[in-house]
Amino acid sequence: MNPGDGRLCERLQDVCTGVAPRLPDGGLRDAVEASLRRLADPKLRIAVGGRLNAGKSTLVNALLGTRLAPTDATECTLLAAWFRYHHRSQVAVHFIDGSTEYVAARPGGGVPASLPFDHHSVTHLTVQAPVAGIDDEYLLIDTPGRDALSGLDDYSMGAIREADGLIFVMHDPGEVELRALEEFRGAVAGARLSAGNVLGVLSRIDTIADHLAPALRRAEAGAIAARTSARLRGLVSTIVPVANRLAQAARCATVTEAHAAAVVELAAADPAGRRRLFFDDDMFLDASVGVARPVRAELLSLLGRYGIEEAVAAVDAGARGATAIRAALLAVSGLPELQTLISERFVRNADALRADGVLALLERALAAGPPPTGGAPRELADAVHRLRRDPALRAAQLAEVATAYAAGDLPLDDDMALDLHHLLTGVTVAQRLGLPDADADALRAEADRRITRWQTAESELPRRSKRLARTVIEVLNQLWFGLEGTR
């Protein structure tokens, strides 16, 4: 069965529709009605979060393929923005009291610079634009950053809790960013976000090792991302280096034929002249070359020196014209790799991710009230328990295990931590067992080894951790029996 076929969400919708009219007024009925509203929207929700100036909105524009998110600091960058297709360009303003008003989009479409309302009364914006494909596979949510350490205050966290997955954008994965992620993990502990549905993006790779050629910078960014991924195992599935500005320029077609002609002219400079060109911004603007200074300033604003170097390298490799140069920039930006991961980790598992979020909402509401002893509350509790045990949700159950490990509450050795990471981030059975090229016999043997490893460890774990270990064992058993059926 296709993991994204909607079966779980349909079953959940049937359950909530059946019990809603029979529940008394109160928190549980409110949660069921909120669940029905969420299930009525079939779109997977992916939030883009991170600290202030991490490059979130630039990445959002690159993923949308059009410049709808504001990249300059304005009043509206304090608000979360959702992006949907509509035949008319407009912005829906959603208020705390549940009402909605529509305002004109900015010229060209997208979030306006300001609103005729107090932004403290607004929950979020929905940016609607006549751009085909912007919400075909998922809805993007651009969340605001803050100057606070985590950059994710209560408002931003509220937006992220509405999402089924998260792309966490980090400018420089140093200690501040790591602490930000730790704070983020604590703040969204109830949102069931973990390595199972969190991707990291190392943005602005153009600022890394500024003295190196672009290809070497990309290699250095990849090494930094790999090291940080290992440090954040349990919190983040993987970290992808993305040159956000290049990705935006390439995907949003802001590199024109005039820019392409200028790049060809720059590429004709002799080697010594090129070195002077790319030494710093001032030398790039002041150098004696055939490209007018205003055009060079425009290129610098659009691509930065790093992007211009990449464009020149594309011309050296034979690219001519804006279309070819944009394609070359996109190929080296890192965005295609991120898009592949979004498809594999999020879109493929959309049904389970959406159902897991709704189940978590219902479980919180059930836990907040008196134990259900009969009637509709008992019926709802039983249905939630049955759905939670569905094999398609096993991977989602691993989120709790990953969160406990990342918080230091579940002691795992390196082999077990790697087992958990493979189970969370693998797409195929072979990837989930850490042997992507193995045959069925080798996979069965590996699953059996891992089951034994976790069963042995379970006996030595603290009592509060045994249940988490059993979750992993159940997932491994499920994989083993699936492989056994292939004999």
Side-chain angles (χ1 to χ4, degrees):
M1 181 172 291
N2 186 335
D5 63 5
R7 183 178 62 88
L8 284 168
C9 288
E10 287 177 5
R11 289 169 61 192
L12 253 176
Q13 196 164 25
D14 289 343
V15 168
C16 291
T17 300
V19 301
R22 296 183 284 120
L23 289 170
D25 290 341
L28 187 56
R29 180 166 184 160
D30 290 345
V32 170
E33 290 175 347
S35 298
L36 282 169
R37 289 193 295 272
R38 187 163 182 179
L39 290 165
D41 184 353
K43 302 290 186 180
L44 181 73
R45 302 171 178 180
I46 301 176
V48 179
R51 297 179 66 235
L52 191 68
N53 295 324
K56 301 182 300 297
S57 296
T58 303
L59 180 64
V60 166
N61 287 334
L63 288 168
L64 293 172
T66 185
R67 298 188 66 167
L68 297 177
T71 54
D72 299 324
T74 68
E75 174 188 308
C76 289
T77 57
L78 301 175
L79 298 170
W82 301 42
F83 299 89
R84 289 183 183 268
Y85 173 83
H86 194 275
H87 69 275
R88 186 171 55 249
S89 182
Q90 61 188 12
V91 176
V93 184
H94 306 279
F95 295 92
I96 292 172
D97 64 7
S99 63
T100 298
E101 292 197 31
Y102 289 86
V103 299
R106 74 165 183 260
V111 179
S114 62
L115 296 173
F117 314 106
D118 177 1
H119 72 265
H120 292 99
S121 67
V122 177
T123 61
H124 66 284
L125 309 175
T126 299
V127 180
Q128 300 175 339
V131 179
I134 62 171
D135 63 355
D136 278 357
E137 291 189 310
Y138 51 83
L139 284 176
L140 273 177
I141 306 172
D142 186 14
T143 67
R146 293 292 190 271
D147 282 321
L149 175 63
S150 70
L152 298 165
D153 63 5
D154 290 343
Y155 178 85
S156 297
M157 288 301 182
I160 288 171
R161 289 189 189 98
E162 290 290 311
D164 305 302
L166 173 69
I167 299 171
F168 190 88
V169 184
M170 56 191 78
H171 180 203
D172 177 11
E175 289 305 317
V176 172
E177 294 284 2
L178 298 183
R179 289 199 302 273
L181 268 174
E182 286 295 333
E183 287 191 11
F184 149 74
R185 180 197 55 76
V188 298
R192 301 181 71 86
L193 291 170
S194 72
N197 58 349
V198 179
L199 289 170
V201 166
L202 174 60
S203 66
R204 300 185 179 175
I205 64 175
D206 53 311
T207 64
I208 295 173
D210 192 44
H211 62 287
L212 296 178
L216 295 177
R217 284 197 234 179
R218 293 200 303 272
E220 179 63 18
I224 293 171
R227 290 195 299 270
T228 309
S229 293
R231 293 181 67 182
L232 297 176
R233 193 171 287 158
L235 279 174
V236 176
S237 169
T238 190
I239 298 175
V240 185
V242 178
N244 288 2
R245 186 152 55 163
L246 257 67
Q248 177 181 260
R251 279 273 286 152
C252 300
T254 51
V255 176
T256 66
E257 291 298 342
H259 297 135
V263 171
V264 171
E265 185 75 23
L266 293 172
D270 60 85
R274 277 204 201 180
R275 285 194 294 273
R276 288 192 297 273
L277 264 178
F278 297 118
F279 184 78
D280 62 28
D281 289 357
D282 288 338
M283 291 190 73
F284 178 79
L285 291 172
D286 294 337
S288 297
V289 292
V291 179
R293 182 186 173 98
V295 176
R296 277 179 277 161
E298 194 173 323
L299 277 174
L300 200 58
S301 174
L302 185 65
L303 297 174
R305 280 183 294 120
Y306 171 82
I308 298 168
E309 282 192 83
E310 290 282 25
V312 166
V315 169
D316 288 342
R320 294 293 184 274
T323 299
I325 290 175
R326 287 198 299 265
L329 292 178
L330 182 63
V332 298
S333 70
L335 188 70
E337 291 78 5
L338 176 62
Q339 290 173 310
T340 297
L341 286 170
I342 290 172
S343 180
E344 291 178 350
R345 306 285 169 85
F346 293 160
V347 176
R348 176 184 169 92
N349 298 308
D351 183 42
L353 289 173
R354 292 177 61 234
D356 180 62
V358 173
L359 285 171
L361 171 64
L362 295 172
E363 287 164 343
R364 289 194 295 273
L366 286 164
T373 56
R378 181 72 262 169
E379 183 181 332
L380 176 64
D382 290 343
V384 166
H385 179 73
R386 285 195 302 272
L387 283 164
R388 181 58 79 187
R389 304 296 295 175
D390 190 287
L393 280 172
R394 288 297 194 203
Q397 287 180 314
L398 291 172
E400 184 181 2
V401 184
T403 299
Y405 165 66
D409 296 332
L410 177 64
L412 301 179
D413 62 27
D414 289 346
D415 287 338
M416 295 174 71
L418 196 57
D419 290 350
L420 179 59
H421 183 74
H422 287 150
L423 287 172
L424 276 165
T425 62
V427 176
T428 65
V429 172
Q431 290 170 346
R432 298 186 74 193
L433 290 171
L435 298 175
D437 300 318
D439 60 22
D441 288 338
L443 291 174
R444 278 190 291 270
E446 181 61 23
D448 196 56
R449 279 193 293 273
R450 295 191 182 199
I451 291 168
T452 301
R453 177 156 61 217
W454 280 82
Q455 286 176 333
T456 301
E458 180 192 3
S459 63
E460 301 173 358
L461 287 172
R463 180 176 298 178
R464 66 181 182 277
S465 299
K466 291 183 182 296
R467 176 182 60 84
L468 299 173
R470 282 194 291 273
T471 297
V472 177
I473 293 168
E474 289 174 2
V475 172
L476 288 168
N477 271 317
Q478 179 187 339
L479 293 179
W480 187 90
F481 278 106
L483 288 163
E484 188 66 11
T486 63
R487 282 183 181 276

